[in-house]
Amino acid sequence: MASSEKSSHCRLIQKMDTIRRIVHKTVLTRAAIQRSHDSFSFYIDEASPVGPEQPETVQNFVSVFGTVAKKLMRKWLATQTMNFTGQLGAGIRYFDLRISTKPRDPDNELYFAHGLFSAKVNEGLEEINAFLTDHRKEVVFLDFNHFYGMQKYHHEKLVQMLKDIYGNKMCPAIFAQEVSLKYLWEKDYQVLVFYHSPVALEVPFLWPGQMMPAPWANTTDPEKLIQFLQASITERRKKGSFFISQVVLTPKASTVVKGVASGLRETITERALPAMMQWVSTQKPGESGINIVTADFVELGDFISTVIKLNYVFDEGEANT
């Protein structure tokens, strides 16, 4: 690691330690937490089949143009450049995970997927666990929010995988208003697993998906996105849950066609970044503010440090008190 990278990493560690001290008694639904969108997509494999959730038009496109089509798809499907370890080291503590079976897979494995297939799920979860084992006061959120081609036994396999890898590190589902770092540290919990499937009602350590609403703007227009985010916050958490603000733009088919060779990052994310980061920097965490903030390419625009710094409001509040 270069000296500049070491210095940057040390500053981040110091900042994270400070934030933990500030918010350790704060209920985490009131804190600002940084989340990556399609967290696993750095591993998207161009040699893999097309995911089962893709429309017939995409399937036909790939069947005609083969590898070339998949290379172009990856430019629009990969929303992150860092692996899990890199994201954790940079400060990401919340992961957006989408799980799929692979057609005609003789091993019947589970994979992360977004249009194309990514890494095996067990490998990604093990990578995150290695970080948690080395950093006993760190807490991560795992949000399993899309499932493709999965039957009941696939869910059973995933639940068993979580048990085998994380064991007693997982916090059972309780009232969201009870969860603080202080509570988690006292119980030696490091993982909260949100599971957007009825299966969550049958397993004590799975938090139901409705406790993690994530309204989606579905727009390419930064101005409309910001209007949507602001309106969503006004309506947020009437039931006392966690809450996600998705600071992400979604390309339309026409957008992809115009920038087919450039990709998501260059065509949309980098151009809209100043406006989106301006909105993030002016927010405050709390019952009537933001909670979890998600972004593409989380290394851009000081996204992580900007979200972390929003928590200093609690330090000011304690001083005033």
Side-chain angles (χ1 to χ4, degrees):
M1 184 183 292
S3 58
S4 60
E5 291 178 340
K6 288 182 180 178
S7 177
S8 177
H9 183 69
C10 288
R11 287 195 299 270
L12 176 65
I13 293 298
Q14 291 170 353
K15 186 176 291 185
M16 295 292 283
D17 286 342
T18 301
I19 292 301
R20 282 194 291 268
R21 174 183 61 79
I22 291 171
V23 304
H24 83 285
K25 292 183 180 180
T26 302
V27 176
L28 292 183
T29 57
R30 299 184 65 243
I33 301 168
Q34 48 282 5
R35 172 186 191 255
S36 56
H37 178 226
D38 289 323
S39 308
F40 53 86
S41 60
F42 54 90
Y43 274 143
I44 284 179
D45 182 7
E46 296 169 5
S48 77
V50 177
E53 83 284 7
Q54 290 301 296
E56 187 176 351
T57 51
V58 174
Q59 302 278 356
N60 292 338
F61 176 62
V62 172
S63 67
V64 173
F65 295 100
T67 303
V68 173
K70 291 180 183 179
K71 286 182 179 296
L72 294 175
M73 285 177 67
R74 193 184 192 286
K75 288 178 176 289
W76 288 91
L77 295 171
T79 61
Q80 305 300 331
T81 59
M82 292 188 288
N83 62 18
F84 288 124
T85 302
Q87 291 181 48
L88 285 161
I92 292 297
R93 293 297 178 267
Y94 194 116
F95 295 100
D96 166 19
L97 306 173
R98 307 174 187 212
I99 313 301
S100 181
T101 58
K102 186 181 290 187
R104 298 175 295 280
D105 178 20
D107 298 323
N108 204 27
E109 292 280 1
L110 296 177
Y111 296 84
F112 298 114
H114 184 219
L116 296 170
F117 289 92
S118 182
K120 292 179 181 178
V121 172
N122 67 304
E123 294 174 353
L125 298 184
E126 289 281 11
E127 186 177 344
I128 293 170
N129 187 53
F131 177 88
L132 295 175
T133 300
D134 290 340
H135 302 82
R136 299 300 299 182
K137 283 200 169 184
E138 294 293 351
V139 173
V140 300
F141 295 71
L142 305 180
D143 189 358
F144 295 86
N145 52 65
H146 287 71
F147 301 100
Y148 307 115
M150 289 182 61
Q151 305 298 323
K152 182 179 180 181
Y153 67 92
H154 292 118
H155 286 284
E156 292 172 348
K157 179 175 182 174
L158 181 52
V159 167
Q160 187 60 50
M161 189 185 300
L162 288 164
K163 287 180 181 178
D164 292 342
I165 294 173
Y166 296 114
N168 293 332
K169 290 177 182 174
M170 291 186 291
C171 177
I174 57 176
F175 289 111
Q177 298 94 326
E178 298 178 15
V179 182
S180 65
L181 285 179
K182 182 175 183 292
Y183 171 82
L184 296 171
W185 290 345
E186 288 174 348
K187 302 288 187 179
D188 289 327
Y189 295 142
Q190 290 183 274
V191 184
L192 277 72
V193 180
F194 291 84
Y195 207 86
H196 296 244
S197 163
V199 173
L201 302 176
E202 305 169 8
V203 182
F205 62 78
L206 296 182
W207 293 62
Q210 60 263 34
M211 296 185 73
M212 188 57 73
W216 175 39
N218 191 18
T219 181
T220 58
D221 186 332
E223 187 173 329
K224 289 182 179 179
L225 171 64
I226 291 169
Q227 291 172 354
F228 177 87
L229 291 168
Q230 203 62 53
S232 298
I233 286 177
T234 303
E235 296 294 321
R236 70 160 287 198
R237 286 184 295 155
K238 292 181 178 178
K239 297 181 180 179
S241 66
F242 292 90
F243 186 83
I244 295 174
S245 295
Q246 298 199 66
V247 190
V248 296
L249 293 168
T250 306
K252 298 181 292 188
S254 58
T255 313
V256 175
V257 170
K258 290 179 182 177
V260 63
S262 300
L264 178 68
R265 178 169 176 153
E266 183 178 334
T267 305
I268 294 182
T269 307
E270 291 181 345
R271 294 181 183 181
L273 194 63
M276 294 193 295
M277 289 309 304
Q278 172 62 25
W279 181 83
V280 173
S281 67
T282 59
Q283 300 308 300
K284 290 185 177 181
E287 293 298 333
S288 58
I290 63 166
N291 180 203
I292 295 154
V293 188
T294 187
D296 293 329
F297 307 109
V298 293
E299 72 275 15
L300 295 178
D302 295 324
F303 166 72
I304 295 172
S305 60
T306 299
V307 176
I308 289 172
K309 284 189 288 187
L310 297 178
N311 289 292
Y312 281 104
V313 67
F314 295 116
D315 200 26
E316 295 169 3
E318 289 172 4
N320 293 335
T321 300

